[in-house]
PDB file of all heavy atoms in Angstrom:
ATOM      1  N   LEU A   1      81.589 103.555 303.267  1.00 94.00           N
ATOM      2  CA  LEU A   1      80.184 103.973 303.248  1.00 94.00           C
ATOM      3  C   LEU A   1      79.839 104.650 301.927  1.00 94.00           C
ATOM      4  O   LEU A   1      78.818 104.344 301.299  1.00 94.00           O
ATOM      5  CB  LEU A   1      79.887 104.920 304.410  1.00 94.00           C
ATOM      6  CG  LEU A   1      79.810 104.311 305.799  1.00 94.00           C
ATOM      7  CD1 LEU A   1      79.822 105.399 306.863  1.00 94.00           C
ATOM      8  CD2 LEU A   1      78.591 103.431 305.944  1.00 94.00           C
ATOM      9  N   LEU A   2      80.692 105.573 301.475  1.00 92.00           N
ATOM     10  CA  LEU A   2      80.427 106.291 300.229  1.00 92.00           C
ATOM     11  C   LEU A   2      80.483 105.375 299.016  1.00 92.00           C
ATOM     12  O   LEU A   2      79.668 105.510 298.093  1.00 92.00           O
ATOM     13  CB  LEU A   2      81.395 107.462 300.078  1.00 92.00           C
ATOM     14  CG  LEU A   2      81.170 108.634 301.040  1.00 92.00           C
ATOM     15  CD1 LEU A   2      82.301 109.642 300.922  1.00 92.00           C
ATOM     16  CD2 LEU A   2      79.820 109.283 300.786  1.00 92.00           C
ATOM     17  N   ILE A   3      81.407 104.430 299.000  1.00 94.00           N
ATOM     18  CA  ILE A   3      81.480 103.484 297.876  1.00 94.00           C
ATOM     19  C   ILE A   3      80.226 102.621 297.831  1.00 94.00           C
ATOM     20  O   ILE A   3      79.624 102.430 296.764  1.00 94.00           O
ATOM     21  CB  ILE A   3      82.752 102.616 297.975  1.00 94.00           C
ATOM     22  CG1 ILE A   3      83.987 103.469 297.717  1.00 94.00           C
ATOM     23  CG2 ILE A   3      82.688 101.445 297.000  1.00 94.00           C
ATOM     24  CD1 ILE A   3      85.298 102.782 298.066  1.00 94.00           C
ATOM     25  N   ASN A   4      79.817 102.097 298.974  1.00 96.00           N
ATOM     26  CA  ASN A   4      78.608 101.264 299.023  1.00 96.00           C
ATOM     27  C   ASN A   4      77.373 102.063 298.627  1.00 96.00           C
ATOM     28  O   ASN A   4      76.538 101.581 297.855  1.00 96.00           O
ATOM     29  CB  ASN A   4      78.430 100.658 300.417  1.00 96.00           C
ATOM     30  CG  ASN A   4      79.259  99.425 300.625  1.00 96.00           C
ATOM     31  OD1 ASN A   4      78.925  98.347 300.150  1.00 96.00           O
ATOM     32  ND2 ASN A   4      80.364  99.573 301.331  1.00 96.00           N
ATOM     33  N   LEU A   5      77.236 103.269 299.164  1.00 95.00           N
ATOM     34  CA  LEU A   5      76.079 104.105 298.821  1.00 95.00           C
ATOM     35  C   LEU A   5      76.109 104.519 297.353  1.00 95.00           C
ATOM     36  O   LEU A   5      75.066 104.549 296.690  1.00 95.00           O
ATOM     37  CB  LEU A   5      76.032 105.342 299.724  1.00 95.00           C
ATOM     38  CG  LEU A   5      75.639 105.082 301.172  1.00 95.00           C
ATOM     39  CD1 LEU A   5      75.855 106.339 302.014  1.00 95.00           C
ATOM     40  CD2 LEU A   5      74.210 104.612 301.274  1.00 95.00           C
ATOM     41  N   GLY A   6      77.287 104.830 296.840  1.00 94.00           N
ATOM     42  CA  GLY A   6      77.414 105.196 295.438  1.00 94.00           C
ATOM     43  C   GLY A   6      77.006 104.059 294.514  1.00 94.00           C
ATOM     44  O   GLY A   6      76.291 104.266 293.527  1.00 94.00           O
ATOM     45  N   ALA A   7      77.457 102.840 294.826  1.00 95.00           N
ATOM     46  CA  ALA A   7      77.080 101.681 294.011  1.00 95.00           C
ATOM     47  C   ALA A   7      75.573 101.444 294.086  1.00 95.00           C
ATOM     48  O   ALA A   7      74.922 101.159 293.075  1.00 95.00           O
ATOM     49  CB  ALA A   7      77.842 100.439 294.476  1.00 95.00           C
ATOM     50  N   PHE A   8      75.012 101.577 295.299  1.00 96.00           N
ATOM     51  CA  PHE A   8      73.575 101.392 295.465  1.00 96.00           C
ATOM     52  C   PHE A   8      72.793 102.392 294.619  1.00 96.00           C
ATOM     53  O   PHE A   8      71.883 102.026 293.867  1.00 96.00           O
ATOM     54  CB  PHE A   8      73.199 101.537 296.944  1.00 96.00           C
ATOM     55  CG  PHE A   8      71.729 101.436 297.213  1.00 96.00           C
ATOM     56  CD1 PHE A   8      71.094 100.212 297.196  1.00 96.00           C
ATOM     57  CD2 PHE A   8      70.986 102.577 297.481  1.00 96.00           C
ATOM     58  CE1 PHE A   8      69.735 100.119 297.450  1.00 96.00           C
ATOM     59  CE2 PHE A   8      69.631 102.490 297.732  1.00 96.00           C
ATOM     60  CZ  PHE A   8      68.997 101.255 297.719  1.00 96.00           C
ATOM     61  N   LEU A   9      73.155 103.667 294.722  1.00 94.00           N
ATOM     62  CA  LEU A   9      72.453 104.703 293.963  1.00 94.00           C
ATOM     63  C   LEU A   9      72.651 104.539 292.458  1.00 94.00           C
ATOM     64  O   LEU A   9      71.709 104.734 291.683  1.00 94.00           O
ATOM     65  CB  LEU A   9      72.902 106.089 294.413  1.00 94.00           C
ATOM     66  CG  LEU A   9      72.474 106.495 295.820  1.00 94.00           C
ATOM     67  CD1 LEU A   9      73.110 107.814 296.213  1.00 94.00           C
ATOM     68  CD2 LEU A   9      70.953 106.560 295.924  1.00 94.00           C
ATOM     69  N   PHE A  10      73.855 104.164 292.038  1.00 95.00           N
ATOM     70  CA  PHE A  10      74.106 103.948 290.612  1.00 95.00           C
ATOM     71  C   PHE A  10      73.157 102.892 290.044  1.00 95.00           C
ATOM     72  O   PHE A  10      72.517 103.109 289.011  1.00 95.00           O
ATOM     73  CB  PHE A  10      75.563 103.533 290.376  1.00 95.00           C
ATOM     74  CG  PHE A  10      75.834 103.135 288.959  1.00 95.00           C
ATOM     75  CD1 PHE A  10      76.017 104.101 287.983  1.00 95.00           C
ATOM     76  CD2 PHE A  10      75.893 101.798 288.590  1.00 95.00           C
ATOM     77  CE1 PHE A  10      76.260 103.740 286.661  1.00 95.00           C
ATOM     78  CE2 PHE A  10      76.125 101.427 287.275  1.00 95.00           C
ATOM     79  CZ  PHE A  10      76.305 102.403 286.307  1.00 95.00           C
ATOM     80  N   PHE A  11      73.053 101.763 290.721  1.00 94.00           N
ATOM     81  CA  PHE A  11      72.194 100.694 290.205  1.00 94.00           C
ATOM     82  C   PHE A  11      70.709 101.016 290.352  1.00 94.00           C
ATOM     83  O   PHE A  11      69.896 100.552 289.562  1.00 94.00           O
ATOM     84  CB  PHE A  11      72.552  99.353 290.839  1.00 94.00           C
ATOM     85  CG  PHE A  11      73.802  98.765 290.256  1.00 94.00           C
ATOM     86  CD1 PHE A  11      74.991  98.787 290.953  1.00 94.00           C
ATOM     87  CD2 PHE A  11      73.795  98.209 288.983  1.00 94.00           C
ATOM     88  CE1 PHE A  11      76.147  98.269 290.397  1.00 94.00           C
ATOM     89  CE2 PHE A  11      74.933  97.680 288.419  1.00 94.00           C
ATOM     90  CZ  PHE A  11      76.118  97.710 289.126  1.00 94.00           C
ATOM     91  N   ARG A  12      70.332 101.811 291.357  1.00 94.00           N
ATOM     92  CA  ARG A  12      68.927 102.217 291.457  1.00 94.00           C
ATOM     93  C   ARG A  12      68.562 103.158 290.307  1.00 94.00           C
ATOM     94  O   ARG A  12      67.487 103.050 289.716  1.00 94.00           O
ATOM     95  CB  ARG A  12      68.640 102.911 292.784  1.00 94.00           C
ATOM     96  CG  ARG A  12      68.722 102.039 294.015  1.00 94.00           C
ATOM     97  CD  ARG A  12      67.749 100.849 294.101  1.00 94.00           C
ATOM     98  NE  ARG A  12      67.888  99.798 293.151  1.00 94.00           N
ATOM     99  CZ  ARG A  12      68.798  98.806 293.173  1.00 94.00           C
ATOM    100  NH1 ARG A  12      69.686  98.753 294.115  1.00 94.00           N
ATOM    101  NH2 ARG A  12      68.816  97.895 292.241  1.00 94.00           N
ATOM    102  N   PHE A  13      69.443 104.118 289.992  1.00 93.00           N
ATOM    103  CA  PHE A  13      69.181 105.014 288.867  1.00 93.00           C
ATOM    104  C   PHE A  13      69.220 104.265 287.542  1.00 93.00           C
ATOM    105  O   PHE A  13      68.432 104.554 286.638  1.00 93.00           O
ATOM    106  CB  PHE A  13      70.157 106.195 288.859  1.00 93.00           C
ATOM    107  CG  PHE A  13      69.836 107.238 289.886  1.00 93.00           C
ATOM    108  CD1 PHE A  13      70.772 107.601 290.827  1.00 93.00           C
ATOM    109  CD2 PHE A  13      68.592 107.850 289.918  1.00 93.00           C
ATOM    110  CE1 PHE A  13      70.473 108.562 291.790  1.00 93.00           C
ATOM    111  CE2 PHE A  13      68.283 108.809 290.878  1.00 93.00           C
ATOM    112  CZ  PHE A  13      69.224 109.170 291.808  1.00 93.00           C
ATOM    113  N   LEU A  14      70.118 103.303 287.420  1.00 94.00           N
ATOM    114  CA  LEU A  14      70.153 102.471 286.216  1.00 94.00           C
ATOM    115  C   LEU A  14      68.857 101.680 286.080  1.00 94.00           C
ATOM    116  O   LEU A  14      68.283 101.591 284.987  1.00 94.00           O
ATOM    117  CB  LEU A  14      71.353 101.528 286.257  1.00 94.00           C
ATOM    118  CG  LEU A  14      71.536 100.609 285.050  1.00 94.00           C
ATOM    119  CD1 LEU A  14      71.750 101.423 283.779  1.00 94.00           C
ATOM    120  CD2 LEU A  14      72.702  99.659 285.287  1.00 94.00           C
ATOM    121  N   GLU A  15      68.377 101.143 287.195  1.00 93.00           N
ATOM    122  CA  GLU A  15      67.109 100.406 287.173  1.00 93.00           C
ATOM    123  C   GLU A  15      65.959 101.327 286.764  1.00 93.00           C
ATOM    124  O   GLU A  15      65.106 100.945 285.961  1.00 93.00           O
ATOM    125  CB  GLU A  15      66.841  99.808 288.548  1.00 93.00           C
ATOM    126  CG  GLU A  15      65.549  99.011 288.624  1.00 93.00           C
ATOM    127  CD  GLU A  15      65.336  98.406 290.000  1.00 93.00           C
ATOM    128  OE1 GLU A  15      65.765  99.009 291.012  1.00 93.00           O
ATOM    129  OE2 GLU A  15      64.723  97.331 290.057  1.00 93.00           O
ATOM    130  N   LEU A  16      65.941 102.543 287.291  1.00 92.00           N
ATOM    131  CA  LEU A  16      64.909 103.509 286.929  1.00 92.00           C
ATOM    132  C   LEU A  16      64.969 103.833 285.441  1.00 92.00           C
ATOM    133  O   LEU A  16      63.947 103.868 284.756  1.00 92.00           O
ATOM    134  CB  LEU A  16      65.055 104.784 287.762  1.00 92.00           C
ATOM    135  CG  LEU A  16      64.054 105.900 287.480  1.00 92.00           C
ATOM    136  CD1 LEU A  16      62.638 105.443 287.808  1.00 92.00           C
ATOM    137  CD2 LEU A  16      64.423 107.145 288.266  1.00 92.00           C
ATOM    138  N   GLY A  17      66.173 104.039 284.938  1.00 93.00           N
ATOM    139  CA  GLY A  17      66.329 104.317 283.512  1.00 93.00           C
ATOM    140  C   GLY A  17      65.893 103.142 282.649  1.00 93.00           C
ATOM    141  O   GLY A  17      65.231 103.327 281.624  1.00 93.00           O
ATOM    142  N   MET A  18      66.251 101.937 283.054  1.00 92.00           N
ATOM    143  CA  MET A  18      65.851 100.747 282.296  1.00 92.00           C
ATOM    144  C   MET A  18      64.335 100.577 282.320  1.00 92.00           C
ATOM    145  O   MET A  18      63.730 100.209 281.323  1.00 92.00           O
ATOM    146  CB  MET A  18      66.547  99.502 282.858  1.00 92.00           C
ATOM    147  CG  MET A  18      68.035  99.479 282.611  1.00 92.00           C
ATOM    148  SD  MET A  18      68.881  98.117 283.448  1.00 92.00           S
ATOM    149  CE  MET A  18      68.316  96.728 282.466  1.00 92.00           C
ATOM    150  N   TRP A  19      63.734 100.852 283.468  1.00 90.00           N
ATOM    151  CA  TRP A  19      62.281 100.743 283.579  1.00 90.00           C
ATOM    152  C   TRP A  19      61.600 101.808 282.718  1.00 90.00           C
ATOM    153  O   TRP A  19      60.600 101.538 282.064  1.00 90.00           O
ATOM    154  CB  TRP A  19      61.861 100.889 285.038  1.00 90.00           C
ATOM    155  CG  TRP A  19      60.388 100.878 285.233  1.00 90.00           C
ATOM    156  CD1 TRP A  19      59.562  99.790 285.241  1.00 90.00           C
ATOM    157  CD2 TRP A  19      59.546 102.019 285.440  1.00 90.00           C
ATOM    158  NE1 TRP A  19      58.270 100.182 285.448  1.00 90.00           N
ATOM    159  CE2 TRP A  19      58.227 101.551 285.576  1.00 90.00           C
ATOM    160  CE3 TRP A  19      59.779 103.387 285.536  1.00 90.00           C
ATOM    161  CZ2 TRP A  19      57.150 102.389 285.792  1.00 90.00           C
ATOM    162  CZ3 TRP A  19      58.713 104.220 285.758  1.00 90.00           C
ATOM    163  CH2 TRP A  19      57.422 103.728 285.881  1.00 90.00           C
ATOM    164  N   THR A  20      62.154 103.020 282.716  1.00 90.00           N
ATOM    165  CA  THR A  20      61.575 104.126 281.959  1.00 90.00           C
ATOM    166  C   THR A  20      61.539 103.840 280.466  1.00 90.00           C
ATOM    167  O   THR A  20      60.532 104.090 279.809  1.00 90.00           O
ATOM    168  CB  THR A  20      62.367 105.430 282.217  1.00 90.00           C
ATOM    169  OG1 THR A  20      62.353 105.687 283.618  1.00 90.00           O
ATOM    170  CG2 THR A  20      61.753 106.599 281.482  1.00 90.00           C
ATOM    171  N   VAL A  21      62.622 103.306 279.937  1.00 91.00           N
ATOM    172  CA  VAL A  21      62.661 103.029 278.496  1.00 91.00           C
ATOM    173  C   VAL A  21      62.197 101.620 278.157  1.00 91.00           C
ATOM    174  O   VAL A  21      62.092 101.269 276.987  1.00 91.00           O
ATOM    175  CB  VAL A  21      64.070 103.284 277.897  1.00 91.00           C
ATOM    176  CG1 VAL A  21      64.451 104.741 278.020  1.00 91.00           C
ATOM    177  CG2 VAL A  21      65.106 102.394 278.523  1.00 91.00           C
ATOM    178  N   GLY A  22      61.898 100.819 279.174  1.00 86.00           N
ATOM    179  CA  GLY A  22      61.367  99.475 278.947  1.00 86.00           C
ATOM    180  C   GLY A  22      62.387  98.499 278.399  1.00 86.00           C
ATOM    181  O   GLY A  22      62.059  97.640 277.575  1.00 86.00           O
ATOM    182  N   VAL A  23      63.625  98.614 278.877  1.00 86.00           N
ATOM    183  CA  VAL A  23      64.692  97.747 278.385  1.00 86.00           C
ATOM    184  C   VAL A  23      65.148  96.807 279.489  1.00 86.00           C
ATOM    185  O   VAL A  23      65.646  97.253 280.510  1.00 86.00           O
ATOM    186  CB  VAL A  23      65.906  98.578 277.908  1.00 86.00           C
ATOM    187  CG1 VAL A  23      67.028  97.679 277.442  1.00 86.00           C
ATOM    188  CG2 VAL A  23      65.495  99.544 276.832  1.00 86.00           C
ATOM    189  N   GLY A  24      65.007  95.524 279.297  1.00 81.00           N
ATOM    190  CA  GLY A  24      65.588  94.520 280.168  1.00 81.00           C
ATOM    191  C   GLY A  24      65.200  94.607 281.630  1.00 81.00           C
ATOM    192  O   GLY A  24      64.238  95.258 282.020  1.00 81.00           O
ATOM    193  N   ASP A  25      65.989  93.922 282.427  1.00 86.00           N
ATOM    194  CA  ASP A  25      65.759  93.801 283.853  1.00 86.00           C
ATOM    195  C   ASP A  25      67.078  94.074 284.574  1.00 86.00           C
ATOM    196  O   ASP A  25      68.134  93.591 284.151  1.00 86.00           O
ATOM    197  CB  ASP A  25      65.257  92.389 284.158  1.00 86.00           C
ATOM    198  CG  ASP A  25      64.941  92.167 285.613  1.00 86.00           C
ATOM    199  OD1 ASP A  25      64.818  93.152 286.366  1.00 86.00           O
ATOM    200  OD2 ASP A  25      64.799  90.989 286.010  1.00 86.00           O
ATOM    201  N   ILE A  26      67.036  94.814 285.658  1.00 87.00           N
ATOM    202  CA  ILE A  26      68.252  95.146 286.402  1.00 87.00           C
ATOM    203  C   ILE A  26      68.921  93.888 286.942  1.00 87.00           C
ATOM    204  O   ILE A  26      70.141  93.853 287.097  1.00 87.00           O
ATOM    205  CB  ILE A  26      67.956  96.167 287.539  1.00 87.00           C
ATOM    206  CG1 ILE A  26      69.265  96.736 288.117  1.00 87.00           C
ATOM    207  CG2 ILE A  26      67.148  95.516 288.646  1.00 87.00           C
ATOM    208  CD1 ILE A  26      70.035  97.589 287.174  1.00 87.00           C
ATOM    209  N   GLN A  27      68.156  92.848 287.195  1.00 87.00           N
ATOM    210  CA  GLN A  27      68.724  91.597 287.701  1.00 87.00           C
ATOM    211  C   GLN A  27      69.768  91.043 286.736  1.00 87.00           C
ATOM    212  O   GLN A  27      70.817  90.555 287.156  1.00 87.00           O
ATOM    213  CB  GLN A  27      67.615  90.567 287.936  1.00 87.00           C
ATOM    214  CG  GLN A  27      68.092  89.275 288.563  1.00 87.00           C
ATOM    215  CD  GLN A  27      68.548  89.428 289.988  1.00 87.00           C
ATOM    216  OE1 GLN A  27      68.133  90.344 290.692  1.00 87.00           O
ATOM    217  NE2 GLN A  27      69.417  88.548 290.434  1.00 87.00           N
ATOM    218  N   ASN A  28      69.501  91.149 285.433  1.00 88.00           N
ATOM    219  CA  ASN A  28      70.465  90.662 284.444  1.00 88.00           C
ATOM    220  C   ASN A  28      71.767  91.458 284.490  1.00 88.00           C
ATOM    221  O   ASN A  28      72.837  90.908 284.257  1.00 88.00           O
ATOM    222  CB  ASN A  28      69.863  90.740 283.032  1.00 88.00           C
ATOM    223  CG  ASN A  28      68.669  89.832 282.882  1.00 88.00           C
ATOM    224  OD1 ASN A  28      68.577  88.800 283.539  1.00 88.00           O
ATOM    225  ND2 ASN A  28      67.740  90.217 282.031  1.00 88.00           N
ATOM    226  N   VAL A  29      71.687  92.736 284.785  1.00 90.00           N
ATOM    227  CA  VAL A  29      72.889  93.565 284.905  1.00 90.00           C
ATOM    228  C   VAL A  29      73.613  93.234 286.208  1.00 90.00           C
ATOM    229  O   VAL A  29      74.835  93.067 286.228  1.00 90.00           O
ATOM    230  CB  VAL A  29      72.530  95.067 284.841  1.00 90.00           C
ATOM    231  CG1 VAL A  29      73.759  95.935 285.069  1.00 90.00           C
ATOM    232  CG2 VAL A  29      71.858  95.402 283.527  1.00 90.00           C
ATOM    233  N   LEU A  30      72.873  93.130 287.304  1.00 90.00           N
ATOM    234  CA  LEU A  30      73.480  92.852 288.604  1.00 90.00           C
ATOM    235  C   LEU A  30      74.202  91.509 288.633  1.00 90.00           C
ATOM    236  O   LEU A  30      75.199  91.352 289.339  1.00 90.00           O
ATOM    237  CB  LEU A  30      72.426  92.897 289.705  1.00 90.00           C
ATOM    238  CG  LEU A  30      71.982  94.282 290.158  1.00 90.00           C
ATOM    239  CD1 LEU A  30      70.815  94.172 291.130  1.00 90.00           C
ATOM    240  CD2 LEU A  30      73.125  95.043 290.785  1.00 90.00           C
ATOM    241  N   GLU A  31      73.720  90.539 287.864  1.00 90.00           N
ATOM    242  CA  GLU A  31      74.345  89.217 287.857  1.00 90.00           C
ATOM    243  C   GLU A  31      75.798  89.275 287.393  1.00 90.00           C
ATOM    244  O   GLU A  31      76.584  88.390 287.711  1.00 90.00           O
ATOM    245  CB  GLU A  31      73.541  88.245 286.994  1.00 90.00           C
ATOM    246  CG  GLU A  31      72.257  87.813 287.659  1.00 90.00           C
ATOM    247  CD  GLU A  31      71.374  86.946 286.776  1.00 90.00           C
ATOM    248  OE1 GLU A  31      71.775  86.623 285.631  1.00 90.00           O
ATOM    249  OE2 GLU A  31      70.276  86.601 287.238  1.00 90.00           O
ATOM    250  N   TRP A  32      76.161  90.315 286.661  1.00 93.00           N
ATOM    251  CA  TRP A  32      77.549  90.477 286.219  1.00 93.00           C
ATOM    252  C   TRP A  32      78.450  90.942 287.359  1.00 93.00           C
ATOM    253  O   TRP A  32      79.674  90.979 287.205  1.00 93.00           O
ATOM    254  CB  TRP A  32      77.626  91.458 285.048  1.00 93.00           C
ATOM    255  CG  TRP A  32      77.224  90.794 283.780  1.00 93.00           C
ATOM    256  CD1 TRP A  32      75.963  90.700 283.263  1.00 93.00           C
ATOM    257  CD2 TRP A  32      78.070  90.083 282.883  1.00 93.00           C
ATOM    258  NE1 TRP A  32      75.976  89.992 282.106  1.00 93.00           N
ATOM    259  CE2 TRP A  32      77.272  89.597 281.841  1.00 93.00           C
ATOM    260  CE3 TRP A  32      79.433  89.818 282.846  1.00 93.00           C
ATOM    261  CZ2 TRP A  32      77.777  88.859 280.779  1.00 93.00           C
ATOM    262  CZ3 TRP A  32      79.942  89.084 281.798  1.00 93.00           C
ATOM    263  CH2 TRP A  32      79.124  88.614 280.788  1.00 93.00           C
ATOM    264  N   PHE A  33      77.869  91.327 288.484  1.00 94.00           N
ATOM    265  CA  PHE A  33      78.649  91.848 289.612  1.00 94.00           C
ATOM    266  C   PHE A  33      78.432  91.057 290.901  1.00 94.00           C
ATOM    267  O   PHE A  33      79.122  91.296 291.883  1.00 94.00           O
ATOM    268  CB  PHE A  33      78.304  93.321 289.841  1.00 94.00           C
ATOM    269  CG  PHE A  33      78.583  94.177 288.644  1.00 94.00           C
ATOM    270  CD1 PHE A  33      77.565  94.513 287.764  1.00 94.00           C
ATOM    271  CD2 PHE A  33      79.864  94.608 288.379  1.00 94.00           C
ATOM    272  CE1 PHE A  33      77.824  95.281 286.648  1.00 94.00           C
ATOM    273  CE2 PHE A  33      80.135  95.378 287.260  1.00 94.00           C
ATOM    274  CZ  PHE A  33      79.113  95.716 286.394  1.00 94.00           C
ATOM    275  N   MET A  34      77.468  90.130 290.910  1.00 93.00           N
ATOM    276  CA  MET A  34      77.186  89.321 292.096  1.00 93.00           C
ATOM    277  C   MET A  34      77.979  88.016 292.028  1.00 93.00           C
ATOM    278  O   MET A  34      78.276  87.523 290.950  1.00 93.00           O
ATOM    279  CB  MET A  34      75.689  88.997 292.179  1.00 93.00           C
ATOM    280  CG  MET A  34      74.814  90.204 292.340  1.00 93.00           C
ATOM    281  SD  MET A  34      73.074  89.837 292.680  1.00 93.00           S
ATOM    282  CE  MET A  34      72.559  88.854 291.317  1.00 93.00           C
ATOM    283  N   ILE A  35      78.261  87.454 293.191  1.00 93.00           N
ATOM    284  CA  ILE A  35      78.944  86.167 293.241  1.00 93.00           C
ATOM    285  C   ILE A  35      77.936  85.075 292.882  1.00 93.00           C
ATOM    286  O   ILE A  35      76.794  85.107 293.317  1.00 93.00           O
ATOM    287  CB  ILE A  35      79.593  85.921 294.629  1.00 93.00           C
ATOM    288  CG1 ILE A  35      80.489  84.695 294.615  1.00 93.00           C
ATOM    289  CG2 ILE A  35      78.570  85.819 295.727  1.00 93.00           C
ATOM    290  CD1 ILE A  35      81.797  84.899 293.968  1.00 93.00           C
ATOM    291  N   SER A  36      78.363  84.152 292.064  1.00 91.00           N
ATOM    292  CA  SER A  36      77.498  83.076 291.596  1.00 91.00           C
ATOM    293  C   SER A  36      77.878  81.769 292.276  1.00 91.00           C
ATOM    294  O   SER A  36      79.025  81.577 292.676  1.00 91.00           O
ATOM    295  CB  SER A  36      77.646  82.920 290.075  1.00 91.00           C
ATOM    296  OG  SER A  36      76.959  81.777 289.623  1.00 91.00           O
ATOM    297  N   LYS A  37      76.926  80.857 292.356  1.00 90.00           N
ATOM    298  CA  LYS A  37      77.266  79.542 292.878  1.00 90.00           C
ATOM    299  C   LYS A  37      77.858  78.661 291.788  1.00 90.00           C
ATOM    300  O   LYS A  37      78.363  77.587 292.069  1.00 90.00           O
ATOM    301  CB  LYS A  37      76.050  78.887 293.529  1.00 90.00           C
ATOM    302  CG  LYS A  37      75.020  78.314 292.595  1.00 90.00           C
ATOM    303  CD  LYS A  37      73.939  77.613 293.394  1.00 90.00           C
ATOM    304  CE  LYS A  37      72.992  76.844 292.504  1.00 90.00           C
ATOM    305  NZ  LYS A  37      71.976  76.150 293.300  1.00 90.00           N
ATOM    306  N   SER A  38      77.828  79.136 290.557  1.00 88.00           N
ATOM    307  CA  SER A  38      78.409  78.413 289.430  1.00 88.00           C
ATOM    308  C   SER A  38      79.913  78.664 289.375  1.00 88.00           C
ATOM    309  O   SER A  38      80.357  79.805 289.238  1.00 88.00           O
ATOM    310  CB  SER A  38      77.760  78.872 288.122  1.00 88.00           C
ATOM    311  OG  SER A  38      78.538  78.491 287.011  1.00 88.00           O
TER     312      SER A  38
END
């Protein structure tokens, strides 16, 4: 539970930071950790 919640909060704060400074999209970062069909 703590690992899942920690990962969720980490990426939400990263998304907030990226949105604040106007850099990129969190989806591009998440793709490095999600399973791909490729």
Side-chain angles (χ1 to χ4, degrees):
L1 287 167
L2 289 172
I3 291 168
N4 278 283
L5 288 171
F8 177 76
L9 291 173
F10 173 79
F11 283 105
R12 292 299 65 79
F13 284 123
L14 181 62
E15 181 179 32
L16 179 63
M18 291 173 72
W19 176 79
T20 302
V21 297
V23 178
D25 182 16
I26 192 67
Q27 185 68 25
N28 296 331
V29 176
L30 283 173
E31 286 175 3
W32 281 89
F33 301 98
M34 297 188 302
I35 189 77
S36 172
K37 76 176 189 179
S38 163

